Every structure is written in C-alpha cells, then in structure tokens.
C-alpha cells in the first residue's frame, strides 16, 4: 500500500571507537521520538558484526555469521522504527565484501558517521506478514504531528 509524500527532517551523529552502532542508532531514535526514521548514509568502520544471511527464512533463521576483524562500512540502509530493518555491506582489508541483515554487535573501530532521515508526516510500523513469516513495514500517515 502506498502512502503520500512527506516533509524530510535530517539528523546527524558520529559514533566513536567501541560504540555499538545498532543499539546506538536505536537509542538515538527512541530518545528523539522519531516515528519514520531511515538511514540516508553511513561511513565508518567496525571490528565486529553479526549478520543474518540471505538464505534465512522465518523457519530457518540460523543462517548467521559472526565476524571479527576490521571492516569498512561501504553501505548501511534501512528503516529504524521500533523493529528496525537494516542491511549492511562491509569490505575487508582486501576489499572483499560481505553483507546481510544486521542483527547487532557492530562495534565501531574508528568512527561511524550516520545521517538519518525522518519522514516527518509518516509513521513506520511493522506487522506480521503471513506470506513472508516476518514482520514487514507498514507506512501510514502520522497521527501525532509535532
């Protein structure tokens, strides 16, 4: 279902060494009461990551990798509502990439510079989709305009 357009608010933050990226983003969103947040861009590096790979299904969720080495963040995309849905692509020291659904454990190595957008007139929620077996995005008009 499509929903109309929206004004855009932009937020920026930088996380330093040792911070956990995923939980820090979720805290940022919660503290500011963002209702329809999404990643515009992110650059930085991590020393750890836990990702669910593409072969996972609702019945087979154990397609998970735990990575522990230095990686450049070459892409981070997704929505940051209460049940965030983020995908990341990481490049190792040889430039080889791995990517997947972010489960957490993204420990910042040197920095993570993140620009977050918020669709100011919308609200993102998630509802279980019987076809996919996962809670999927539902976009609706925002009811509590600031």
């Amino acid at each position: 279902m499509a929903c109309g357009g929206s004004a855009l608010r932009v937020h920026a933050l930088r996380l330093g060494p040792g911070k956990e990226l995923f939980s820090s983003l979720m805290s940022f969103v919660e503290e500011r009461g963002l209702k329809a947040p999404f990643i515009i861009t992110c650059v930085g590096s991590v020393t750890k990551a836990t990702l669910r790979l593409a072969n996972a299904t609702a019945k087979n969720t154990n397609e998970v990798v735990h990575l522990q080495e230095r990686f450049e963040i070459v892409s981070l995309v997704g929505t940051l509502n209460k049940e965030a849905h983020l995908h990341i692509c990481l490049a190792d020291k040889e430039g080889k990439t791995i990517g997947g659904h972010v489960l957490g454990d993204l420990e910042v190595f040197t920095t993570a510079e993140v620009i977050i957008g918020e669709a100011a007139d919308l609200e993102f929620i998630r509802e279980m989709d019987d076809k996919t077996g996962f809670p999927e995005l539902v976009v609706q008009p925002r009811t509590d305009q600031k």
Side-chain angles (χ1 to χ4, degrees):
M1 178 172 115
C3 197
S6 176
L8 173 66
R9 289 190 186 109
V10 178
H11 308 267
L13 74 147
R14 178 188 176 265
L15 300 170
K19 295 288 186 181
E20 201 286 314
L21 179 58
F22 183 73
S23 62
S24 295
L25 290 173
M26 296 310 295
S27 293
F28 183 89
V29 165
E30 185 176 330
E31 288 166 7
R32 284 155 184 79
L34 306 183
K35 301 292 184 187
F38 56 93
I39 300 293
I40 293 176
T41 191
C42 173
V43 295
S45 56
V46 295
T47 57
K48 295 192 303 188
T50 300
L51 309 176
R52 187 177 69 219
L53 302 177
N55 199 37
T57 64
K59 293 180 181 178
N60 177 28
T61 58
N62 63 350
E63 296 288 327
V64 173
V65 293
H66 302 279
L67 306 169
Q68 193 157 2
E69 64 180 278
R70 292 179 182 168
F71 292 97
E72 288 290 323
I73 301 169
V74 295
S75 178
L76 178 66
V77 297
T79 55
L80 289 165
N81 57 303
K82 197 171 200 172
E83 296 172 343
H85 187 187
L86 296 179
H87 289 190
I88 196 166
C89 184
L90 302 169
D92 69 13
K93 64 184 178 185
E94 296 174 355
K96 295 178 184 168
T97 58
I98 185 168
H101 176 91
V102 174
L103 294 178
D105 206 25
L106 293 171
E107 185 177 294
V108 174
F109 174 48
T110 57
T111 193
E113 302 164 6
V114 188
I115 309 302
I116 298 170
E118 180 188 21
D121 304 313
L122 303 175
E123 184 170 356
F124 295 163
I125 62 169
R126 293 206 168 266
E127 292 180 355
M128 186 56 71
D129 184 318
D130 294 335
K131 292 177 186 173
T132 67
F134 290 103
E136 301 293 358
L137 182 68
V138 175
V139 180
Q140 58 190 30
R142 188 167 173 166
T143 57
D144 67 335
Q145 290 296 322
K146 289 183 177 178

